[in-house]
Amino acid sequence: MLEGKPLADKMRPDTLQDYIGQSRAVGQETLLRSLLETNEIPSLILWGPPGCGKTTLAHIIANNSKKHSIRFVTLSATNAKTNDVRDVIKQAQNEKSFFKRKTILFIDEIHRFNKSQQDTFLPHVECGTITLIGATTENPSFQVNAALLSRCRVIVLEKLPVEAMVTILMRAINSLGIHVAGASRSTDPLSHSSNSSSEPSVFIEDKAVDTLAYLSDGDARIGLNGLQLAVLARLSSKKMFCKKSGQAYSPSRALITENDVKEGLQKSHILYDRAGEEHYNCISALHKSMRGSDASASLYWLARMLEGGEDPLYVARRLVRFASEDIGLADPSALPQAVAAYQGCHFIGMPECEVLLAQCVVYFARAPKSIEVYSAYNNVKACLRNHQGPLPPVPLHLRNAPTRLMKDLGYGKGYKYNPMYSEPVDQEYLPEELRGVDFFKQRRC
């Protein structure tokens, strides 16, 4: 069973009863579950991180649909063209016209289709020629046309919890005939009597199962394929060792350790997508943690981004903005700190510049906060946007008069040059209709 197809594909469940970890979306009392069980399937957008069960849920819907003589067609937006979509729709129209047969079209990675390609579905979803099910790892609010999105029910699938990952892994372990060597078992799992068959008795440490569940970060595909690779690697290395040492290979003994699992994963388990939803989630969390003066949380979100491959200059630019937006005049030195951090990142790059950003982030988290300037400027913008009619002219006494004509027209007349006065100067600087307005104290002019 270890050869051929990836273990994640072989272990894909066929029924909702075996579908694990998404009780909030398709639990016993949910509307979607009732619709699926009665085969009343609406157009859906399945949104969630990689390996959370989007394709599996579509696979279950496909199995159920075939039992009710409903066509289920699958396309992947990574390689399908517009003509492929049109061919499917044309066939769906024929099936509906001649045989009264429904068609469900599943589009994997639907966010990879551009606007014109997504528009192809719109009239056919509207009139019921096809029921569309799209799967995406990206926020459909940004990646799916608004008109198409309004005709679909968005189902949010979450990252699988560790408990669900353990259940999925144990199901695979049992199906492969692998034994779990836990604390309740013999301290030497290899001392178990070997099977009479030629198939090896493979053991896996209980701790290795937990480690794999944690490091998979809620991605069942990574967990199952990591398990498969760890087992194959252990069996292969055992064969190689016996061959080199001249010993007879015994297929009855193999132990999968925690280190084997870690090597099998061969990936960073940090979930982060520089161009996707997690990108915006993490920068928002960093911004709010600094605003809330939590230095530890600020460092955590910074590290999540940098270790996940984020461009340090992007983070540095956000810090420059934060310095004026959230700290402002409460600590005017914050802005030079942010600019220096940006320049330092530009000079030396990653990984050396990570400590520069860390220092800046901690400084900002500990700094006093003020949104006085930020709020006042927003008030000014609101005043300008809400103004009815032509904007008021610049008062004549504030205008520059570089020519004689402009002086004759009254430009600059009556202006009081402040440095020439020892006392405060009584002089208006706003247009006449805005006199008395204080943008630091009021929102409307």
Side-chain angles (χ1 to χ4, degrees):
M1 189 173 180
L2 288 170
E3 303 295 339
K5 289 174 59 177
L7 185 58
D9 286 341
K10 295 178 181 179
M11 295 303 302
R12 198 182 298 280
D14 296 321
T15 65
L16 282 174
Q17 287 69 29
D18 296 328
Y19 188 66
I20 297 172
Q22 299 294 348
S23 58
R24 183 176 296 181
V26 290
Q28 289 292 342
E29 304 299 325
T30 60
L31 175 62
L32 179 60
R33 177 112 181 191
S34 301
L35 292 173
L36 296 180
E37 289 178 342
T38 57
N39 211 44
E40 295 293 334
I41 302 167
S43 290
L44 303 171
I45 298 294
L46 307 177
W47 171 32
C52 69
K54 301 183 296 295
T55 304
T56 297
L57 183 55
H59 173 75
I60 292 171
I61 294 173
N63 286 341
N64 192 52
S65 300
K66 291 172 183 176
K67 295 177 184 178
H68 295 82
S69 299
I70 298 175
R71 291 179 67 244
F72 192 96
V73 182
T74 299
L75 291 177
S76 174
T78 57
N79 53 30
K81 300 178 181 178
T82 305
N83 286 338
D84 298 326
V85 175
R86 289 186 177 133
D87 289 342
V88 171
I89 291 173
K90 185 176 181 180
Q91 191 171 358
Q93 289 171 329
N94 292 335
E95 291 283 339
K96 184 180 179 182
S97 299
F98 299 126
F99 306 108
K100 307 299 181 185
R101 192 180 180 197
K102 297 179 180 178
T103 298
I104 297 176
L105 175 58
F106 173 60
I107 303 291
D108 200 11
E109 307 287 341
I110 193 173
H111 60 274
R112 293 181 181 270
F113 274 157
N114 58 36
K115 184 179 184 300
S116 63
Q117 288 173 311
Q118 291 183 26
D119 283 342
T120 307
F121 304 119
L122 196 56
H124 307 289
V125 172
E126 182 75 38
C127 68
T129 301
I130 60 170
T131 297
L132 177 67
I133 299 179
T136 178
T137 56
E138 305 296 334
N139 190 329
S141 300
F142 306 129
Q143 302 296 334
V144 179
N145 289 358
L148 184 60
L149 190 62
S150 68
R151 290 160 175 81
C152 299
R153 179 182 292 272
V154 177
I155 303 299
V156 180
L157 302 181
E158 300 173 339
K159 183 168 64 174
L160 294 171
V162 173
E163 297 78 11
M165 283 299 307
V166 170
T167 302
I168 292 169
L169 291 172
M170 287 303 302
R171 179 185 292 170
I173 288 168
N174 292 332
S175 71
L176 293 172
I178 299 174
H179 308 286
V180 179
S184 61
R185 298 176 181 268
S186 170
T187 55
D188 180 11
L190 299 183
S191 66
H192 284 267
S193 59
S194 63
N195 294 340
S196 58
S197 68
S198 61
E199 289 296 319
S201 290
V202 181
F203 294 85
I204 185 169
E205 293 178 343
D206 191 40
K207 185 179 181 182
V209 177
D210 291 335
T211 298
L212 184 56
Y214 276 101
L215 294 187
S216 298
D217 200 27
D219 189 327
R221 186 180 296 109
I222 285 176
L224 291 170
N225 291 342
L227 172 66
Q228 181 180 20
L229 189 57
V231 174
L232 288 173
R234 170 52 60 191
L235 294 177
S236 298
S237 64
K238 185 172 176 61
K239 286 181 181 179
M240 187 64 67
F241 174 78
C242 293
K243 184 176 180 181
K244 288 182 177 180
S245 62
Q247 299 178 13
Y249 171 66
S250 171
S252 61
R253 296 181 179 182
L255 174 65
I256 310 302
T257 66
E258 185 179 20
N259 286 335
D260 294 328
V261 162
K262 290 179 178 179
E263 291 178 8
L265 286 176
Q266 286 292 304
K267 69 178 284 292
S268 169
H269 62 277
I270 298 172
L271 178 64
Y272 188 76
D273 180 2
R274 287 177 56 180
E277 174 79 4
E278 204 66 10
H279 164 86
Y280 298 104
N281 290 342
C282 285
I283 193 62
S284 176
L286 172 61
H287 198 127
K288 290 178 173 65
S289 298
M290 292 189 297
R291 181 185 293 152
S293 300
D294 191 327
S296 292
S298 300
L299 280 178
Y300 172 79
W301 294 116
L302 172 67
R304 268 277 288 267
M305 299 179 75
L306 296 181
E307 295 301 307
E310 181 59 80
D311 180 6
L313 292 179
Y314 168 76
V315 179
R317 287 193 294 271
R318 296 302 304 170
L319 293 178
V320 173
R321 166 73 181 194
F322 184 91
S324 288
E325 179 179 333
D326 286 272
I327 297 176
L329 297 180
D331 184 356
S333 63
L335 185 56
Q337 286 270 355
V339 173
Y342 178 88
Q343 292 174 335
C345 291
H346 182 71
F347 290 153
I348 64 177
M350 283 289 285
E352 288 83 0
C353 74
E354 61 187 13
V355 69
L356 278 67
L357 292 173
Q359 176 180 323
C360 189
V361 161
V362 172
Y363 182 94
F364 285 2
R366 294 177 176 176
K369 309 298 189 296
S370 170
I371 60 169
E372 181 185 24
V373 174
Y374 175 70
S375 298
Y377 188 71
N378 281 338
N379 291 340
V380 175
K381 290 195 297 183
C383 177
L384 292 171
R385 289 169 182 167
N386 296 331
H387 183 82
Q388 302 294 323
L391 290 173
V394 176
L396 286 175
H397 70 283
L398 296 180
R399 301 185 190 187
N400 194 25
T403 68
R404 184 177 184 84
L405 174 62
M406 297 170 86
K407 288 180 180 178
D408 291 342
L409 292 173
Y411 283 31
K413 184 178 181 180
Y415 172 67
K416 299 175 183 177
Y417 184 59
N418 300 66
M420 295 180 60
Y421 296 84
S422 58
E423 300 295 329
V425 175
D426 183 15
Q427 187 167 233
E428 290 292 339
Y429 299 97
L430 283 171
E432 185 172 355
E433 63 186 77
L434 295 179
R435 287 183 182 178
V437 171
D438 187 344
F439 291 108
F440 291 89
K441 296 180 180 179
Q442 61 193 84
R443 294 185 178 180
R444 297 179 181 177
C445 55

